[in-house]
Amino acid sequence: GAGVSQTPSNKVTEKGKYVELRCDPISGHTALYWYRQSLGQGPEFLIYFQGTGAADDSGLPNDRFFAVRPEGSVSTLKIQRTERGDSAVYLCASSFFDMTGQGRTEAFFGQGTRLTVV
Amino acid sequence: DAKTTQPPSMDCAEGRAANLPCNHSTISGNEYVYWYRQIHSQGPQYIIHGLKNNETNEMASLIITEDRKSSTLILPHATLRDTAVYYCIVRVAGSTLGRLYFGRGTQLTVWP
């Protein structure tokens, strides 16, 4: 597809369970980002990948959260032992890596995965 | 860390210009001003960005004050589909978008 694709669009899970959220970025985009958005708040940064490596994971709230991007394309956000407070919309975005220093890199966001922990 | 200040809500009549203000008084010389918007139940959408000159594209115009401490996003002829939350963000040139702080933005409501 032409845009960032996230699956599933909705996920309901029980407290304590493990979940995986998938992101398919735009083809050719080397940068990939995960954000989390709670109701009434703006998106909150979680982690950024440049290629296969996590260049900045300082936004991950705790060690229950982990993300991978093994081949530099698709990324999976993994949440262990889910808690009700993890309920949110998880957004993925991708972009070209801005090497020009001119701020031209715009990020394209997916529709998000709405995670509900019951 | 909040680097921008926006009013929580604004409204505008359809067909009129919507002017959304943003204060970024601590902006650094190498930081750009970006605007995104988020329509209900969708991911954020890039609108426009600028450094110090005014910018215009097919979606909007961005007016940045000479001292760069504030800016205004202008939607020249607002439509009902422009109802969304608008985020003003500052970003260092050459950096990734990873550490963008979205804040709560401005909820723009366009009424018929």
Side-chain angles (χ1 to χ4, degrees):
Chain A
V4 176
S5 175
Q6 291 187 246
T7 54
S9 55
N10 282 283
K11 176 71 176 178
V12 180
T13 190
E14 292 181 348
K15 179 176 178 295
K17 297 290 187 182
Y18 166 83
V19 296
E20 290 189 350
L21 311 179
R22 176 187 168 106
C23 173
D24 280 88
I26 292 173
S27 178
H29 281 186
T30 57
L32 184 146
Y33 321 84
W34 284 98
Y35 285 80
R36 176 170 70 173
Q37 187 170 25
S38 301
L39 191 63
Q41 307 290 324
E44 175 188 23
F45 168 77
L46 295 177
I47 187 170
Y48 155 68
F49 286 90
Q50 175 55 26
T52 60
D56 183 356
D57 64 357
S58 59
L60 295 177
N62 52 60
D63 61 5
R64 295 186 298 104
F65 288 75
F66 190 71
V68 296
R69 196 186 183 199
E71 298 179 358
S73 179
V74 172
S75 176
T76 304
L77 178 66
K78 308 180 180 191
I79 310 174
Q80 299 177 321
R81 305 182 304 279
T82 52
E83 300 177 356
R84 292 195 179 88
D86 299 334
S87 296
V89 175
Y90 288 82
L91 293 162
C92 177
S94 70
S95 73
F96 291 111
F97 181 60
D98 179 10
M99 301 182 70
T100 67
Q102 298 181 32
R104 292 178 178 168
T105 306
E106 63 185 270
F108 295 85
F109 282 80
Q111 300 282 61
T113 293
R114 180 175 299 279
L115 175 66
T116 304
V117 182
V118 298
Chain B
D1 295 333
K3 300 194 71 172
T4 64
T5 304
Q6 299 177 253
S9 63
M10 295 183 67
D11 57 44
C12 174
E14 189 177 23
R16 305 296 294 270
N19 299 291
L20 293 96
C22 179
N23 287 321
H24 31 80
S25 58
T26 61
I27 193 170
S28 301
N30 63 346
E31 287 183 315
Y32 285 72
V33 179
Y34 275 72
W35 283 84
Y36 276 75
R37 73 179 183 183
Q38 188 172 25
I39 295 169
H40 183 63
S41 298
Q42 297 184 21
Q45 175 192 22
Y46 166 83
I47 302 173
I48 198 168
H49 75 279
L51 183 62
K52 55 183 178 181
N53 297 322
N54 297 338
E55 301 288 344
T56 295
N57 62 21
E58 65 278 4
M59 290 182 69
S61 294
L62 174 60
I63 309 297
I64 302 174
T65 58
E66 191 169 345
D67 63 7
R68 303 208 324 121
K69 292 181 184 293
S70 66
S71 61
T72 301
L73 179 75
I74 300 173
L75 307 179
H77 305 287
T79 71
L80 299 178
R81 287 176 292 182
D82 292 323
T83 293
V85 178
Y86 287 77
Y87 297 100
C88 170
I89 300 160
V90 296
R91 178 173 86 98
V92 175
S95 73
T96 71
L97 288 172
R99 294 300 288 175
L100 276 179
Y101 179 76
F102 276 84
R104 294 194 175 189
T106 296
Q107 170 68 58
L108 174 69
T109 301
V110 181
W111 44 276

